[in-house]
Amino acid sequence: MDTKKKILDVALTLFSEKGYGNVYVGQIAEGVGIKAPSLYKHYKSKQDIFDAILEEMRNRYNQQTSLLNITGSDFQSDSQFYNNISEDELVKIGIGLFSFFLHDEYECKFRKMLTIEQFSNKELAKLFSNQYFNEPQKYQTGLLQMLIMQGLMKNEDANIMALQFFAPIYLLMTVCDREPQREPEALNMLEKHIRQFNRMYKE
Amino acid sequence: MDTKKKILDVALTLFSEKGYGNVYVGQIAEGVGIKAPSLYKHYKSKQDIFDAILEEMRNRYNQQTSLLNITGSDFQSDSQFYNNISEDELVKIGIGLFSFFLHDEYECKFRKMLTIEQFSNKELAKLFSNQYFNEPQKYQTGLLQMLIMQGLMKNEDANIMALQFFAPIYLLMTVCDREPQREPEALNMLEKHIRQFNRMYKE
DNA sequence: GTCTATAAGAAGATAGAC
DNA sequence: GTCTATCTTCTTATAGAC
C-alpha cells in the first residue's frame, strides 16, 4: 500500500481512538512501520496529516451527497420501491443500513473522530451535523412525504416523522460506538422500533 | 471561591472544550488566576485533576439516581400527574427539561467532556450510556407503562415508545451542543415532536 | 524515501524563597 | 499557598548520510 495513503489511514485510526492531542507522530510512524522523521517526507507537519484527513472526508462527503442527488434523492422511485416491500423487508433494510454505518471501517473511524473533535473545530461540527442530522433528515422527509402523498402513510408532519424514525437509529448507533458488546440489544430494539413506527404511521 | 474547587471548575471547562490531551496545566492555572506550579499544591498531577473531576461526576450521578429512586421513579404518582395535564403543559415540561440539560453549566460541560473522552476511557463510556440512554430509557419506559395500564396510551411496547420519545430529544440536544445557533430550530422541532408523539400514541 | 542523530521547544513537575 | 527558577522528559521537526 502507498505509504502516503497508509499514513492517513493509521493517523485516522489513532485520532479516532484518542483524539488529535493524545496521538504522537511517533505512534503514527510506528503504525505505518517507519520512523517518525520519515513521515516528514510525506507531510510537512502533524497538522498537515490532520488536514489531509479532513480533505479526504470532504471529498467522500461530496461524492456521497452528489451520488444521493442522482439516485437516492429520487424519492418517487424510492417510495415506489417501499410501496412494494413488506414490513419484514423494511426491517432488513434498516438493519443492513445500521450495520453498515456501525461496521464500515472508514465510516466508523470518521464518525468517532468527528465526535471527539467536534467542539474544537467548527468545520468538523458542520460536517458532523450534515452527515448525521441534516442529510438523513432531508432524505427521509422527502421519502415520507411521497409515501404520505401516495396514501400509504398517515398525513402527519413528514419532517417530524423523519426525526422520529432516524433519531432512535442514531441513538442506538452511538451506544454501540461506545459499548460494542451491546449490539445485539441494539439490533433487537432497532427491529422493534421499525415495526412499531410502521404500525403507528401506516395508513 | 475555594481554589481547589475552582481548579476543577476551570479544568472541566477546558477539558470539555478541547479534551484532556489538548489542555495544558498552564492554561488551567491561567484560568484560575495562579501560576502552573501552584496547582501542584492542590493536586499532585494533571491526571489527578482529571480523576478528581471524575470523582465529582460519579458523586453527582449517584446523588441524582438515588434521588430519582425516591421521587422520580415513583411512576404511579408521576403518571397520575401526567394524567391531569394538557398537551400544552406536556410540551412545556419537555422544553423545560431540554433547556435545562442544554444550558445547565455543569450538565453541559459534563456531557461534552464525556463525549470527547468516551472512546479512551471505559468508565466514562459507561457513565455516558447510563446518563443518556439507560436511565432515561428506564424511567420513561416505566412511566409509559403506567399510562398504558391506565388506558391513556395505546398498548404498544413501552420500551420502544420510550426510545421513540427520548431519541429525538437527545439528537436535537447533540445538534445544539455542536451548533448552539440552531437552538430555535431545535425547540421548534421538539415541540412538534412531543405533540405528534402524543397524538399518535394517546388512546 | 528511510534511517540516525539531534536540535528546538513545549509541557509536566519539583525546589525552595517568601 | 503562591511565586520564580529550573529540571526532566517528551514531542515535533530538521539535517544529512545512505
Side-chain angles (χ1 to χ4, degrees):
Chain A
M1 187 186 187
D2 180 21
T3 303
K4 187 153 186 166
K5 188 87 198 58
K6 185 161 187 190
I7 291 169
L8 293 191
D9 197 55
V10 171
L12 175 59
T13 302
L14 289 167
F15 290 156
S16 72
E17 287 164 356
K18 307 157 179 270
Y20 181 84
N22 294 308
V23 172
Y24 309 125
V25 290
Q27 295 176 296
I28 300 173
E30 192 186 344
V32 176
I34 56 178
K35 300 291 178 181
S38 303
L39 287 178
Y40 292 86
K41 297 287 176 184
H42 301 278
Y43 299 94
K44 75 174 210 290
S45 68
K46 182 184 171 187
Q47 186 63 46
D48 195 33
I49 295 174
F50 185 82
D51 292 340
I53 292 174
L54 267 203
E55 185 57 28
E56 198 190 345
M57 282 187 177
R58 272 190 289 266
N59 289 341
R60 294 212 190 200
Y61 175 74
N62 291 333
Q63 215 170 6
Q64 195 181 312
T65 50
S66 72
L67 209 76
L68 259 177
N69 284 334
I70 300 166
T71 63
S73 287
D74 184 355
F75 305 122
Q76 194 114 30
S77 71
D78 273 25
S79 64
Q80 214 79 38
F81 170 69
Y82 286 120
N83 181 1
N84 295 324
I85 61 171
S86 67
E87 188 183 286
D88 281 344
E89 282 166 317
L90 199 70
V91 166
K92 216 169 138 189
I93 289 167
I95 287 178
L97 214 68
F98 178 81
S99 296
F100 168 76
F101 273 101
L102 205 59
H103 294 135
D104 179 77
E105 216 186 359
Y106 185 82
E107 191 67 29
C108 191
K109 289 172 185 171
F110 167 86
R111 182 174 59 248
K112 287 185 178 176
M113 182 170 140
L114 286 184
T115 301
I116 295 174
E117 306 295 342
Q118 63 181 320
F119 303 125
S120 33
N121 188 319
K122 280 204 173 171
E123 191 196 340
L124 287 183
K126 275 206 164 175
L127 207 57
F128 197 150
S129 281
N130 280 336
Q131 187 106 12
Y132 292 103
F133 182 73
N134 305 347
E135 292 294 339
Q137 194 64 25
K138 199 170 74 181
Y139 174 72
Q140 283 167 26
T141 299
L143 190 63
L144 287 162
Q145 251 155 7
M146 289 302 302
L147 292 171
I148 292 168
M149 276 168 58
Q150 291 171 12
L152 297 168
M153 288 246 169
K154 292 205 172 103
N155 188 20
E156 296 282 344
D157 186 328
N159 199 39
I160 300 304
M161 286 169 70
L163 178 69
Q164 290 173 346
F165 182 78
F166 176 69
I169 297 174
Y170 175 80
L171 178 55
L172 291 172
M173 195 175 64
T174 66
V175 171
C176 291
D177 276 341
R178 261 193 303 278
E179 303 174 277
Q181 78 280 8
R182 294 180 76 172
E183 190 178 337
E185 171 196 351
L187 282 172
N188 180 35
M189 288 185 80
L190 178 63
E191 175 172 350
K192 288 182 183 165
H193 158 58
I194 296 175
R195 291 190 191 282
Q196 192 154 314
F197 180 88
N198 186 52
R199 193 161 54 243
M200 296 308 291
Y201 277 113
K202 78 159 181 249
E203 189 61 286
Chain B
M1 187 187 187
D2 179 21
T3 303
K4 185 153 187 166
K5 187 88 198 56
K6 186 163 186 188
I7 291 170
L8 293 191
D9 198 54
V10 172
L12 175 59
T13 302
L14 289 167
F15 290 156
S16 73
E17 288 164 356
K18 306 156 179 272
Y20 182 84
N22 295 306
V23 173
Y24 311 125
V25 290
Q27 295 176 297
I28 300 173
E30 193 186 344
V32 175
I34 57 177
K35 300 292 180 180
S38 304
L39 287 178
Y40 293 86
K41 296 286 178 186
H42 302 278
Y43 298 95
K44 75 174 209 290
S45 68
K46 183 183 173 188
Q47 186 63 46
D48 196 32
I49 295 174
F50 185 82
D51 291 341
I53 292 174
L54 266 204
E55 185 57 28
E56 199 189 345
M57 282 187 176
R58 272 190 288 265
N59 289 339
R60 294 212 191 200
Y61 174 75
N62 290 333
Q63 217 169 7
Q64 193 180 312
T65 49
S66 71
L67 210 75
L68 259 177
N69 284 334
I70 300 167
T71 63
S73 288
D74 184 356
F75 305 123
Q76 194 114 29
S77 72
D78 272 25
S79 65
Q80 213 79 40
F81 169 69
Y82 286 119
N83 181 1
N84 295 323
I85 62 171
S86 68
E87 188 183 286
D88 281 344
E89 283 166 316
L90 200 69
V91 167
K92 216 169 136 189
I93 289 167
I95 288 178
L97 215 66
F98 178 81
S99 296
F100 168 76
F101 273 101
L102 204 59
H103 293 133
D104 178 80
E105 217 186 359
Y106 185 82
E107 191 66 30
C108 190
K109 290 172 185 170
F110 167 86
R111 182 174 57 249
K112 286 184 179 177
M113 183 170 140
L114 287 184
T115 300
I116 295 174
E117 306 294 341
Q118 62 181 321
F119 303 125
S120 32
N121 188 318
K122 280 205 172 170
E123 192 196 339
L124 288 183
K126 274 208 163 173
L127 207 56
F128 197 150
S129 281
N130 279 336
Q131 188 107 12
Y132 291 103
F133 182 72
N134 306 346
E135 290 293 340
Q137 194 64 24
K138 197 170 75 179
Y139 174 71
Q140 284 169 23
T141 299
L143 192 63
L144 287 162
Q145 250 155 7
M146 289 301 302
L147 292 171
I148 291 167
M149 277 168 57
Q150 291 170 14
L152 297 168
M153 289 245 168
K154 291 202 172 107
N155 188 20
E156 296 283 344
D157 186 329
N159 199 39
I160 300 304
M161 286 170 69
L163 177 69
Q164 290 174 347
F165 182 78
F166 176 68
I169 297 174
Y170 175 79
L171 177 55
L172 291 171
M173 196 175 64
T174 67
V175 171
C176 291
D177 276 341
R178 260 193 303 279
E179 303 174 277
Q181 79 280 7
R182 295 181 75 171
E183 190 177 337
E185 171 197 351
L187 282 172
N188 181 33
M189 290 186 79
L190 177 64
E191 176 172 348
K192 288 182 182 163
H193 158 59
I194 296 175
R195 290 191 192 282
Q196 193 154 315
F197 180 89
N198 187 51
R199 193 162 54 244
M200 296 306 293
Y201 277 113
K202 79 160 179 242
E203 191 60 284

